[in-house]
Amino acid sequence: MLDPDDLARLEQQLRSEARVDGIAHFVIGVAVFREGRLLVVRRVADDYHGGMYELPGGGVESGESFAECVARELLEETGLRLRAVIDFLGGFDYATRTKAKVRKYSFVAEAEPGDVALAPGEHDAFAWINASALDELPMAPDMRATVSALVDRV
């Protein structure tokens, strides 16, 4: 488990490294496990990457810490409340329709008990998956690599 001080130091280091690389936009992915299964959500059909499964997450807002973003995105996209940030999984860079360089960092989080409640208009389905279910779900290649590494850990 990452304590708040360790998480703050990690964020300082990651932001510093990103500045050197000319990156100022960040996205956070949140990996939540229950009973050995990973939570993934499906984007609505008419959205970017529509119909694809992904980890819950989203953009870091101005003035928001990575830990605050983990908590906010988890709650907004799944209705689950953050108990703790457990681990840092690494990051990768990509481009969007509006930004040339974005860095996505993923974290493992422990959620409070509760039912998943998806954000209407953003996601229309969710699944708790293990490695055997991975091949059945449509995912972008970079997301598939991230999710595959996660389910292989369990």
Side-chain angles (χ1 to χ4, degrees), residues 71-82:
R72 180 182 54 77
E73 287 291 345
L74 183 64
L75 183 61
E76 286 178 3
E77 294 196 354
T78 69
L80 299 174
R81 294 193 180 280
L82 178 68

Side-chain angles (χ1 to χ4, degrees), residues 17-71:
E17 291 169 359
R19 257 191 309 280
V20 170
D21 295 338
I23 295 173
H25 300 285
F26 303 101
V27 170
I28 299 294
V30 185
V32 175
F33 290 91
R34 278 204 183 142
E35 298 171 8
R37 294 178 183 271
L38 175 68
L39 176 63
V40 292
V41 292
R42 185 176 68 191
R43 295 187 76 80
V44 294
D46 62 352
D47 200 356
Y48 180 69
H49 282 236
M52 300 280 202
Y53 280 83
E54 63 186 4
L55 295 176
V60 178
E61 295 178 353
S62 178
E64 183 177 50
S65 73
F66 291 173
E68 291 166 339
C69 184
V70 168

Side-chain angles (χ1 to χ4, degrees), residues 90-140:
F92 60 89
D93 298 344
Y94 66 100
T96 69
R97 291 178 286 189
T98 57
K99 295 178 181 86
K101 275 186 165 182
V102 175
R103 186 159 289 168
K104 180 169 187 172
Y105 295 118
S106 294
F107 294 87
V108 176
E110 183 181 347
E112 297 287 347
D115 294 331
V116 173
L118 297 175
E122 193 163 353
H123 297 102
D124 61 8
F126 70 93
W128 293 96
I129 66 166
N130 59 20
S132 65
L134 183 61
D135 292 338
E136 301 167 21
L137 300 178
M139 285 183 193

